[in-house]
Amino acid sequence: MSRGIVFLVGAGPGDPGLMTRRSLELIATADAILYDRLIPPGALDGAPDGAELRFVGKRPGDPALAQAEINALMVDLARAGKRVVRLKGGDPFVFGRGGEEAEALAAAGVPFEVVSGVTAGVAAPAYAGIPVTHRDGASAVAFVTGHEDPEKPDSALDWEALARFPGTLVLYMGVRNLPLVAERLLAAGRDATEAAAVVQRGTQPGQRIVNGTLSDIAERAEAAGVGPPAVTVIGPVAGLRETIAWLERRPLHGEVVAVTRARAQASGLAGRLRELGAEVVETPAIRIEPLAITLAPPESYSLICFTSPNGVRLYFEALGRDARALGGVTVAAIGPGTAAELARNGIHADVVPERFVAEGLLAALPDRLLRGGRILVARAAEARDALPDGLRERGADVDIAALYETVAEPLDEAAREGLARATYVTFTSSSTVRFLLESGGKVPQSARVVSIGPITTATAREYGLEVDVEAERHDIDGLVDALTADAAARRVPAA
Ligand code: SAH
């Protein structure tokens, strides 16, 4: 039995990208994970299948587990030989009671390690365009917390000292306390005109910011209906936001983009959209189901046409040989994504058309390769017949390798909710349109529909779905470009 140990791990302020590498490694090897409410979405996705995942935070309506119970639970699990990850929002030692938990573990003689996290008091302001220190005028920063009970405002805090503090104040506390806190600071002599900002849900898709001065920030936050979790920044740096704000200046900020392609294929598109500032909701409508197939030796063909990255991947899996098997064969790819997948398998495609559709590939293939040639088309079972038909018309002997089937992926509750909030719905193939609509997916009236190309657009029309944007280049980059251009054109230009 391995020796039990507890890791006190910070999960950062909410953006999954701000989780540390160490935190992900530990989650992936944990026997038990005790987690709080303020951890990023998907933080536990990498946990091993059999791991015990236990929520120990506060949930509205539910009595929270007392700190002593959490401590006892960690000690018991570790003594039973488990690797325990105690996962907390932000940094475990910044207002997270991580110190108390470490004390309890030390007292019990249980080995533990501490894994720092990105604290909300630095990251939420940063995502709002506020550096908590600055060479001009903010050479110190104070992290301050108070009780959640507005009736007992922070007897532990020395308001005079905070009012005199020569630097930025970052308050971790309920916005309900803000009126009282501002009042105390003003009464103790802090400058009423000093810039202030409240950042709610910092680093998360719903991040909101309210700006003001120390004298009016409480009122403004209340008027804006700001709720937890939020940090308040008081200091001249709060005014830098006007210049430095970057998050909301990204081209797709505020857009919620639904990605309907198979979950296994979604990450490239999702990543590009997120980088442009969009909130991405994965609403996979399809799944790739490999088909059992026996392939003729590649040497028996003069030309092999690949029509999708999946086709390339599954062809090599089914073949069970490497690139050398195709040494004497001409290879054509329908588009750059397929060519890239070929390259990953060690093959440089001989032909890639300018238009990434069957007709484009047909036009790019010279007659000498076709007349009398033996050609394999490696593709999905349900693909259009335009390519094999066209090849046959031009005198080729064509085999089809149906490597996979595209099947419907039923929409789960999270996908349905995501789709309902979408401002853009993207379709990367006819099958994504067909299966999304057939499985009862509702494209919101107000959402813009984006199609990768004319075939997908035609399928959408057949299903009565109006396409607002069609990519000029029929690949993922082309789709992202078209969506981004549409969003830019629809933005009300700043007055
Ligand atoms: N250990 C955490 C803080 C826990 S105390 C850390 O290092 O960040 C909880 C308080 O942190 C909340 O009341 C709020 O003030 C702040 N907080 C946590 N996550 C936040 C977020 N994403 N945006 C703004 N404030 C946040």
Side-chain angles (χ1 to χ4, degrees):
M1 188 174 68
S2 67
R3 212 156 82 94
I5 180 166
V6 176
F7 299 93
L8 298 174
V9 180
D15 177 348
L18 293 182
M19 292 182 73
T20 64
R21 190 149 120 185
R22 184 74 179 134
S23 74
L24 298 176
E25 282 168 10
L26 290 170
I27 288 166
T29 55
D31 298 314
I33 303 178
L34 309 180
Y35 62 97
D36 285 344
R37 194 156 50 93
L38 290 178
I39 62 168
L44 303 178
D45 286 357
D49 276 344
E52 175 183 350
L53 307 181
R54 217 158 139 177
F55 175 74
V56 295
K58 278 186 254 172
R59 220 192 298 259
D62 255 9
L65 222 52
Q67 189 61 51
E69 291 177 88
I70 299 177
N71 296 351
L73 190 56
M74 288 191 297
V75 170
D76 288 349
L77 287 164
R79 285 194 176 145
K82 307 245 163 132
R83 275 171 79 82
V84 182
V85 169
R86 170 73 178 108
L87 193 62
K88 307 161 85 70
D91 182 276
F93 278 5
V94 180
F95 307 136
R97 306 191 72 168
E100 289 162 63
E101 295 181 1
E103 283 175 317
L105 294 167
V110 167
F112 65 92
E113 290 180 20
V114 181
V115 179
S116 302
V118 175
T119 191
V122 173
Y127 276 49
I130 301 170
V132 292
T133 71
H134 194 283
R135 216 161 75 93
D136 307 327
S139 301
V141 54
F143 297 114
V144 184
T145 188
H147 298 290
E148 291 294 317
D149 182 352
E151 299 308 315
K152 288 192 215 138
D154 322 311
S155 44
L157 292 174
D158 179 342
W159 297 106
E160 315 287 326
L162 288 175
R164 275 197 316 272
F165 182 74
T168 309
L169 301 179
V170 177
L171 310 173
Y172 293 62
M173 57 179 72
V175 269
R176 284 189 307 159
N177 286 345
L178 197 52
L180 220 47
V181 168
E183 202 178 290
R184 302 251 155 147
L185 287 171
L186 288 169
R190 194 132 181 145
D191 180 1
T193 64
E194 192 168 26
V198 178
V199 186
Q200 179 186 7
R201 286 197 291 271
T203 81
Q204 299 166 14
Q207 171 172 310
R208 285 174 66 205
I209 301 138
V210 176
N211 292 292
T213 61
L214 180 56
S215 60
D216 66 8
I217 190 69
E219 203 181 302
R220 283 168 179 254
E222 199 193 335
V226 171
V231 291
T232 302
V233 186
I234 299 167
V237 286
L240 292 177
R241 182 179 142 62
E242 243 170 76
T243 325
I244 305 182
W246 53 274
L247 190 99
E248 46 282 82
R249 292 180 187 157
R250 292 177 304 168
L252 296 182
H253 177 74
E255 306 295 354
V256 180
V257 183
V259 171
T260 57
R261 51 186 343 208
R263 207 179 282 284
Q265 261 90 51
S267 64
L269 175 56
R272 297 244 5 232
L273 293 166
R274 286 199 183 100
E275 212 157 274
L276 291 163
E279 177 187 349
V280 175
V281 288
E282 288 192 18
T283 57
I286 58 172
R287 187 160 41 87
I288 303 302
E289 199 69 60
L291 295 173
I293 184 169
T294 313
L295 295 167
E299 296 85 348
S300 55
Y301 299 103
S302 50
L303 168 69
I304 303 184
C305 299
F306 290 95
T307 63
S308 68
N310 283 317
V312 174
R313 189 170 54 81
L314 295 171
Y315 178 81
F316 281 99
E317 267 174 36
L319 190 62
R321 293 167 63 187
D322 67 19
R324 288 168 295 181
L326 273 68
V329 188
T330 303
V331 174
I334 199 158
T338 304
E341 187 60 33
L342 278 166
R344 266 191 284 282
N345 284 277
I347 305 243
H348 182 85
D350 301 290
V351 181
V352 185
E354 274 168 27
R355 284 175 54 234
F356 316 138
V357 290
E359 291 74 7
L361 183 55
L362 278 169
L365 287 167
D367 274 331
R368 67 178 160 78
L369 279 177
L370 307 189
R371 203 169 308 117
R374 221 181 140 218
I375 299 181
L376 180 70
V377 177
R379 60 168 223 187
E382 69 281 357
R384 291 190 306 138
D385 284 324
L387 181 61
D389 288 352
L391 294 170
R392 285 188 187 113
E393 263 166 42
R394 287 167 64 192
D397 175 9
V398 180
D399 282 352
I400 291 175
L403 290 155
Y404 61 94
E405 200 170 23
T406 307
V407 300
E409 174 90 296
L411 286 180
D412 60 19
E413 201 44 46
R416 270 177 215 285
E417 279 170 25
L419 190 58
R421 290 191 300 118
T423 58
Y424 280 93
V425 180
T426 61
F427 292 106
T428 46
S429 65
S430 289
S431 52
T432 57
V433 177
R434 197 172 331 114
F435 287 124
L436 187 84
L437 298 177
E438 284 180 2
S439 67
K442 298 250 180 318
V443 174
Q445 278 294 322
S446 55
R448 308 274 291 166
V449 173
V450 188
S451 149
I452 197 163
I455 316 285
T456 302
T457 301
T459 307
R461 297 234 161 90
E462 272 170 41
Y463 279 82
L465 192 62
E466 199 49 54
V467 170
D468 301 291
V469 184
E470 183 181 288
E472 267 171 44
R473 223 181 102 113
H474 313 313
D475 63 358
I476 295 300
D477 285 347
L479 180 129
V480 171
D481 288 349
L483 192 158
T484 309
D486 184 70
R490 291 164 53 78
R491 294 262 143 125
V492 188

